[in-house]
Amino acid sequence: MGKTRFILPNAFTSMNFLLGVFAICWVTGAFSSFTSSDPIRMGAYFIILCALLDKLDGFAARLVHASSEFGAQFDSLADLIAFGVAPAFTVFFTYKTVAPESWFQTNAVLLIVVFAIYVLCAAMRLAKYNACDSDTYHHHFSGLPSTFAGAINAVLVVYLKSKGVFTADSALIYVPLFVMLITGLLMVSPLFLPKLQPRKNAAFNTFQAVMIVITYICGFTFVSEGIPFVTEYILLLMASYIVIGFGVGIAKRKEIIAEAEAEAAQKK
């Protein structure tokens, strides 16, 4: 097969990269001249597609034995665009286009600061993973994965926009900024989050598989505003996973570190 085996995984990575770029184009209005679709929802939808397709490049690489350093670096670059830059643009331009102009002008500096923190944290998260964590923790993430951070920010702004939060004279208008700041900091935090992997409990594995299938269905249909509770389901699922997962990670922190140290000692 030779070098041609690298085409498949890199094709999936290229698709994720372009979807992230197109998400930015949607939310900034670059595509508004030839479509009447809601640019914020479409941008968020493209970010969700990136999240749903995120693991396909790694799966394809293992399937055809085409893992490479180039692929790992390319994947991180695509993730930075899809889950770092694109969600930050989505939140920023939602405020810019929907919030009252007076509010936007008054809070412009705050918006830029949170935007910058989030993007920098995403970049550091991906660099840290490649440099330190990829071979250290096999059953847990160290910090919030950029995939979840990007998706939850994208879905949240669509949900709050549909509820009129951005146009209301209420403190709730600051919620997306607060969530973007917290998720940014969580990406570079030392907290552990369990990975979605098969477990010894068959019932739990079945439940996990069913939830994943439902999530994929909801994710692919997110673009349609007519399907009820899709946005709420995705938000509730991600929030539950993050809160419960980090809680488990905190409770088992010493055990997780000890396991990683034991595995590292065996390799020496």
Side-chain angles (χ1 to χ4, degrees), residues 147-162:
T147 309
F148 285 97
I152 199 166
N153 279 285
V155 176
L156 181 64
V157 293
V158 172
Y159 175 74
L160 294 181
K161 178 174 176 286
S162 70

Side-chain angles (χ1 to χ4, degrees), residues 67-128:
S67 299
S68 66
E69 182 63 24
F70 170 83
Q73 298 303 325
F74 188 22
D75 182 59
S76 289
L77 180 59
D79 285 352
L80 177 58
I81 298 298
F83 308 122
V85 180
F89 268 86
T90 301
V91 174
F92 185 89
F93 272 84
T94 301
Y95 280 109
K96 188 176 188 301
T97 57
V98 182
E101 173 118 6
S102 58
W103 187 96
F104 181 80
Q105 294 296 335
T106 302
N107 294 276
V109 174
L110 177 61
L111 283 165
I112 292 170
V113 169
V114 175
F115 179 103
I117 291 173
Y118 179 84
V119 173
L120 281 173
C121 286
M124 289 188 288
R125 154 78 194 178
L126 293 164
K128 176 176 175 286

Side-chain angles (χ1 to χ4, degrees), residues 160-267:
L160 294 181
K161 178 174 176 286
S162 70
K163 300 301 180 182
V165 168
F166 290 95
T167 56
D169 185 14
S170 166
L172 290 176
I173 196 172
Y174 290 95
V175 168
L177 270 181
F178 176 75
V179 171
M180 187 161 71
L181 176 62
I182 294 301
T183 52
L185 296 176
L186 283 175
M187 280 191 282
V188 295
S189 73
L191 300 177
F192 293 112
L193 185 71
K195 294 182 178 180
L196 297 175
Q197 294 177 327
R199 308 290 175 177
K200 294 180 180 179
N201 189 313
F204 180 82
N205 289 337
T206 301
F207 171 77
Q208 186 174 253
V210 170
M211 296 301 289
I212 290 173
V213 170
I214 295 174
T215 301
Y216 268 78
I217 294 172
C218 289
F220 283 117
T221 58
F222 177 82
V223 68
S224 175
E225 298 183 45
I227 303 177
F229 305 120
V230 167
T231 306
E232 290 85 347
Y233 168 80
I234 296 174
L235 270 180
L236 179 62
L237 184 69
M238 288 192 294
S240 299
Y241 173 61
I242 290 170
V243 172
I244 296 173
F246 276 131
V248 172
I250 291 171
K252 296 186 175 181
R253 181 174 181 80
K254 291 182 179 179
E255 181 182 325
I256 295 167
I257 294 174
E259 181 183 350
E261 290 175 346
E263 289 183 0
Q266 288 179 352
K267 293 179 181 179

Side-chain angles (χ1 to χ4, degrees), residues 30-51:
F31 291 164
S32 60
S33 60
F34 54 84
T35 178
S36 59
S37 299
D38 178 5
I40 303 302
R41 178 175 284 272
M42 289 302 298
Y45 179 58
F46 274 53
I47 293 170
I48 292 172
L49 290 180
C50 289

